[in-house]
Amino acid sequence: MQTLRVIARLLEYPTAELQAAQDELVAAVLADDRLPPQQKHALLTCIERLCVGNLMDLQENYVSLFERGRSLSLLLFEHVHGESRDRGQAMVDLMNHYAEAGLELDVRELPDHLPLFLEYLSTRGWQEIRTWLEDIHHILGLLAERLHQRESFYQLPFDALLTLAGQAPDRQELATLVAAEERDDTPEALDKVWEEEMVKFLDDQGESCGNSNFVGQRRQELDQVQRVHLSDELMQDAMKQQIGGA
């Protein structure tokens, strides 16, 4: 299903290649016979915003939305399992689905990364697509509302996915829920995360918590590599569970 591949591209980090593919993206959306005109128009609006806007501004906006805090993480299991070990097994199960479909991961992303998951779905039949999207519609609805309250055009692809899932979340209920959440992308919230990571790191290493120079250095390192470190750790955990279950 080409529309899923289009949405996958729209939810990835903006690049010059994406902007150069505007005509192909538009053609794929217009050819879709499952989306109503309103949703097609919404996706075309999103494509225009991403393909015509200033690339550096778009990249900065993407990072500020999806790479700071966990509330808008595009890692699906982040919203289900957090950092529990259940997440590792869930990723093993998902990787098995990919393998059974004859797909191999050739990118440095976790298997539950939404754009990657949508790429997989684009190769499946409609009934299977619908079933998978129904299974994650609660996550899609929550992300759509959070983006809506941040006045982001990235809400539009999530609305399209909900339409394809045949789901209409209770917007009022979601709005109330999200409005009561504490933002996790503010400087204060990010400082708290860094401090928690520092405490965990120092506990693991048996270092003194009084070394302020060391703390400052590690804070900078965590700021630069936090996501990659998390990905490697979870992948290793997933692989251990897979080997252990063999």
Side-chain angles (χ1 to χ4, degrees), residues 212-231:
S212 60
N213 290 334
F214 177 77
V215 169
Q217 179 181 353
R218 273 299 294 170
R219 177 171 173 172
Q220 292 179 355
E221 292 173 356
L222 286 169
D223 187 27
Q224 295 174 3
V225 304
Q226 182 179 8
R227 185 180 178 197
V228 173
H229 173 73
L230 176 63
S231 298

Side-chain angles (χ1 to χ4, degrees), residues 39 140-149 155-156 158-160 162-163 167-178:
Q39 290 300 334
L140 300 175
L142 194 57
L143 290 172
E145 181 58 33
R146 286 170 178 163
L147 289 163
H148 172 71
Q149 293 197 18
Q155 173 197 346
L156 303 175
F158 286 92
D159 286 341
L162 287 168
T163 297
Q167 299 293 324
D170 186 330
R171 291 291 188 178
Q172 184 173 356
E173 180 180 349
L174 283 174
T176 301
L177 177 65
V178 172

Side-chain angles (χ1 to χ4, degrees), residues 11 65-84 86-88 90-91 110 112-115 117 135-147 150 158 174 177-178 181 184 227 230 234:
L11 293 178
L65 282 173
F66 300 117
E67 303 292 342
R68 295 176 185 166
R70 295 176 174 176
S71 63
L72 288 177
S73 173
L74 294 179
L75 298 173
L76 294 172
F77 296 149
E78 180 82 40
H79 305 283
V80 180
H81 303 295
E83 297 306 311
S84 73
D86 290 340
R87 185 177 176 190
M91 285 195 293
L110 289 173
D112 62 333
H113 189 238
L114 181 56
F117 179 65
D135 286 345
I136 65 170
H137 83 271
H138 57 292
I139 301 174
L140 300 175
L142 194 57
L143 290 172
E145 181 58 33
R146 286 170 178 163
L147 289 163
R150 298 189 192 190
F158 286 92
L174 283 174
L177 177 65
V178 172
E181 293 177 340
D184 64 356
R227 185 180 178 197
L230 176 63
L234 287 171

Side-chain angles (χ1 to χ4, degrees), residues 12-74:
E12 290 179 342
Y13 184 75
T15 62
E17 289 76 16
L18 170 70
Q19 294 188 326
Q22 181 177 5
D23 291 343
E24 291 84 352
L25 296 173
V26 168
V29 171
L30 292 177
D32 190 286
D33 59 357
R34 295 191 182 276
L35 278 177
Q38 181 180 358
Q39 290 300 334
K40 286 187 179 183
H41 177 73
L43 280 183
L44 293 176
T45 298
C46 187
I47 291 172
E48 182 176 7
R49 294 285 295 273
L50 285 169
C51 293
V52 177
N54 179 274
L55 185 57
M56 292 187 65
D57 289 342
L58 291 167
Q59 291 171 340
E60 181 180 359
N61 175 57
Y62 184 94
V63 170
S64 68
L65 282 173
F66 300 117
E67 303 292 342
R68 295 176 185 166
R70 295 176 174 176
S71 63
L72 288 177
S73 173
L74 294 179

